[in-house]
Amino acid sequence: MDHSLPLATIRTQVSVPLRFPDGYATTGRVFTFDGLVDAREHLAFGLGDFAAAVRRQATGEPPLVRPHSECLTGDVFGSQRCDCGPQLREAVERIAAAGGFLLYLRQEGRGIGLYPKLDAYALQDAGLDTYEANVALGHQEDERDYAVAAQMLVALEVRRAALLTNNPDKSEQLRRYGVTVAGQVATGVFLSPANAGYLAAKASRGAHVADLPTVG
């Protein structure tokens, strides 16, 4: 791990039964942390046989890990302007099957916050794409830093992981912070008429790896 990052420690862990609106249910082991560099309340959900995945990481299939950025509108209210809610639902089931961790990172709006994200939505309604809108508000296109994700993984004794993501920046940053990324596993593409422009912008400007079908 990059020596510029202090070590984080596990603060609390507790089992929480999870149930999604479509009826899918599982149990997650929720971890909280002390010592995270941004002092925010990030969570890790251990899903499936995550302990076995951690034990075999050096010689076998490593834990499947998704760093998921919080999206109140998509994750909680089912907003169709993004694909965050369906990606979260997919990630929980896939990680539970493989064994690993969902890192729920408090990085609303690619790091700019909830109110600015909604301000960006208004600019998108006026014709800007999701990245242009952030810049017009005085922010970077993407302000997320995955140092806390690296800290969380080390605290969980994960030093080698397969990442469930279409975003190569997550893999690149975690590698820079000393986590061995054994592979990048593509997420599904959850396309709708309401989010087609958003997904196209992520693919073209954010370098997200996604094969976008045509909206019928």
Side-chain angles (χ1 to χ4, degrees):
M1 185 174 183
D2 187 325
H3 293 299
S4 66
L5 289 179
L7 290 176
T9 57
I10 293 171
R11 177 179 180 272
T12 307
Q13 53 178 296
V14 61
S15 293
V16 176
L18 305 175
R19 180 175 293 276
F20 287 82
D22 64 1
Y24 174 75
T26 190
T27 297
R29 188 74 174 170
V30 183
F31 296 84
T32 65
F33 302 87
D34 284 322
L36 297 177
V37 291
D38 64 3
R40 293 183 180 178
E41 295 180 328
H42 306 284
L43 300 175
F45 289 76
L47 298 165
D49 197 348
F50 61 87
V54 170
R55 289 194 298 269
R56 69 172 181 258
Q57 64 184 302
T59 57
E61 288 294 321
L64 183 60
V65 173
R66 174 163 177 79
H68 184 89
S69 297
E70 177 183 45
C71 176
L72 178 71
T73 50
D75 295 342
V76 177
F77 294 104
S79 169
Q80 296 295 291
R81 295 188 67 133
C82 63
D83 57 345
C84 302
Q87 282 192 331
L88 177 64
R89 164 65 181 84
E90 173 199 41
V92 170
E93 184 170 5
R94 292 179 68 175
I95 296 170
F101 296 93
L102 173 83
L103 307 182
Y104 197 76
L105 305 174
R106 314 304 293 274
Q107 301 172 330
E108 186 79 49
R110 293 198 303 278
I112 69 173
L114 179 59
Y115 276 19
K117 182 181 84 169
L118 296 174
D119 293 339
Y121 278 178
L123 293 178
Q124 291 170 43
D125 289 344
L128 300 184
D129 71 30
T130 180
Y131 294 97
E132 292 167 342
N134 279 17
V135 172
L137 292 171
H139 295 282
Q140 298 176 38
E141 291 185 351
D142 190 335
E143 296 189 354
R144 291 174 293 182
D145 185 300
Y146 296 99
V148 290
Q151 287 184 291
M152 293 161 75
L153 289 175
V154 171
L156 294 165
E157 301 183 354
V158 176
R159 295 185 176 272
R160 180 172 175 265
L163 290 194
L164 181 60
T165 182
N166 294 332
N167 183 356
D169 185 50
K170 293 180 180 180
S171 299
E172 292 166 9
Q173 285 203 39
L174 286 177
R175 287 190 179 104
R176 290 200 300 269
Y177 286 124
V179 176
T180 298
V181 178
Q184 186 168 305
V185 181
T187 66
V189 176
F190 302 97
L191 180 65
S192 73
N195 71 18
Y198 166 80
L199 293 182
K202 286 208 301 184
S204 63
R205 299 191 57 164
H208 287 227
V209 180
D211 184 13
L212 298 179
T214 301
V215 179

